[in-house]
Amino acid sequence: FNPLSYRIPKSSRAKLTPEPYSGYLIAFNPTRPTSRGRVEIASARVQDAPLIMPNYLSTQKDVDDVVQGNRLVRHLATAPALRRITVEEVSPGPSCASDADCLQYFREQSGSIYHLCGSCAMGPDARTSVVDDCLRVHGLRGLRVVDASIFPAVTTGNTNAATMIVAEKGAAMILEDA
């Protein structure tokens, strides 16, 4: 629940701007998605951005979670206390009447909430992971990855605390090896 209404910008350079009216936002954020995307090198040129394929809502579990989450949010919005202060539902709005309509809306509008992780997953096998348990890149000497990309699985909550723990532990390992 957010005490203001805003839209997540489509451009990575855009700022998060509140809507031009009084409002609130109720959202759901599945914390254990099963859909998996991938990041690939676009070319040998360092200037070329990587190819990022998020692959959102590609498993039935994730689709079911979105449908159930939408139903729950809409149910919460009918609570008497919220009905008294609500003029109308803006997004997805009354045109999304069925689960299929809402799922299509979410496929078109949803995205990351900037808690990306796992693109350099930690693990013992270089065929299925990028770094070992000491955050060293498999097969390369002197290179470590110390950020949320090493998480072998999506965290259940906000990535901030887990990332700070990785940074603290990674810094200690770097100093130990220096």
Side-chain angles (χ1 to χ4, degrees), residues 4 6 29 33 40 43 66 71 77 98 126 130-131 140 148 152:
L4 64 110
Y6 60 86
N29 298 308
E40 295 177 1
S43 75
V66 164
R71 288 178 185 167
S98 70
V130 177
V131 299
L140 293 175

Side-chain angles (χ1 to χ4, degrees), residues 1 4-7 19-26 73-74 76-79 81-96 105:
F1 183 87
L4 64 110
S5 181
Y6 60 86
R7 295 189 188 273
E19 298 285 6
Y21 50 80
S22 295
Y24 62 89
L25 180 81
I26 304 175
V73 164
R74 282 184 157 171
L76 291 173
T78 65
L82 289 177
R83 288 297 323 139
R84 282 193 295 276
I85 64 169
T86 304
V87 174
E88 66 181 328
E89 176 186 315
V90 175
S91 296
S95 65
C96 280
Y105 171 85

Side-chain angles (χ1 to χ4, degrees), residues 47-61:
Q47 300 88 345
D48 292 344
L51 301 173
I52 301 172
M53 286 94 21
N55 210 22
Y56 301 130
L57 300 174
S58 61
T59 67
Q60 190 60 48
K61 180 191 178 303

